[in-house]
Amino acid sequence: MFESASRVMYFLAAVTLGLFALLFIGLSALTVVEGMVALDSAVLTSAMLDGVGMIVLAIAVFEIAKYLYEEEIVRERELRRADEARRTLTKFLTTIIIAASLEGLVLVFEARTSEISAIVYPVMLLGVVTLLVVGLGAFQLLARKAESIHIDPAASEADEAEEDKRPAVEADKAQADGARTDGD
């Protein structure tokens, strides 16, 4: 029952995020049209940059919705293998990196039209994006090393069976310890 409820929640979240992405795209188009109607190049430029920012945000929101749908609703199993986890996380982080990079570029162009001191925030964002790329690269390297470690499936199944028995054994020990203290 809990599994079904969680799938429904993920589905509702994915649909809602998808609708938000569509709204961002519609709002972006509306912003650009308003800029065109103003018949002022500065207003139009600002509206277009805002529109690009909203489209980038829409793409990021849609990618999160797609991730939730693919990984939490369609897939019936957990990520058990290192290569599955690496691919999924890489895909997700790549989307975030691209969205943040595009937003940083939009902010750089916006800062160009205002005071030069406004460039600090876009540069900081692009610095964070650079750190994300380096972190993703380190993750890829470590994950590939983990994938190359050979794990015997029979041993892995035996470990899982042993873990399943541990709570029962610990409960038996606790019960036996309780009986000893009652008898003393």
Side-chain angles (χ1 to χ4, degrees):
M1 183 172 117
F2 182 74
E3 186 71 27
S4 297
S6 71
R7 281 185 182 214
V8 168
M9 290 300 294
Y10 281 120
F11 180 77
L12 289 174
V15 167
T16 303
L17 288 171
L19 291 174
F20 284 176
L22 287 174
L23 287 173
F24 278 128
I25 291 171
L27 187 59
S28 169
L30 183 63
T31 301
V32 172
V33 168
E34 286 176 351
M36 290 170 57
V37 170
L39 296 174
D40 182 12
S41 64
V43 173
L44 178 59
T45 301
S46 177
M48 288 174 63
L49 288 173
D50 287 345
V52 168
M54 281 188 270
I55 289 174
V56 167
L57 182 59
I59 291 169
V61 168
F62 181 75
E63 282 294 325
I64 293 169
K66 188 173 104 175
Y67 170 82
L68 287 176
Y69 179 76
E70 289 175 349
E71 297 300 326
E72 300 296 338
I73 298 168
V74 173
R75 294 180 73 133
E76 301 238 350
R77 56 187 161 75
E78 293 180 27
L79 298 177
R80 297 271 185 193
R81 295 186 352 240
D83 64 328
E84 289 178 1
R86 179 186 51 80
R87 276 190 242 124
T88 300
L89 190 58
T90 299
K91 189 173 164 185
F92 185 70
L93 279 176
T94 300
T95 301
I96 291 172
I97 288 169
I98 291 169
S101 298
L102 290 172
E103 183 64 23
L105 289 174
V106 167
L107 289 175
V108 165
F109 290 124
E110 285 179 356
R112 186 190 73 174
T113 61
S114 62
E115 291 183 33
I116 193 67
S117 63
I119 197 96
V120 171
Y121 300 109
V123 168
M124 289 173 55
L125 177 59
L126 292 173
V128 168
V129 167
T130 302
L131 291 175
L132 279 170
V133 170
V134 169
L136 181 59
F139 170 74
Q140 287 280 353
L141 179 70
L142 294 173
R144 292 249 184 220
K145 285 184 180 181
E147 289 171 22
S148 66
I149 298 171
H150 178 68
I151 298 174
D152 183 17
S156 179
E157 289 173 12
D159 288 344
E160 286 181 17
E162 186 65 31
E163 285 180 17
D164 290 342
K165 291 179 186 176
R166 280 190 191 145
V169 170
E170 289 172 6
D172 290 344
K173 277 186 181 179
Q175 192 175 25
D177 289 343
R180 268 190 261 146
T181 55
D182 290 341
D184 292 337

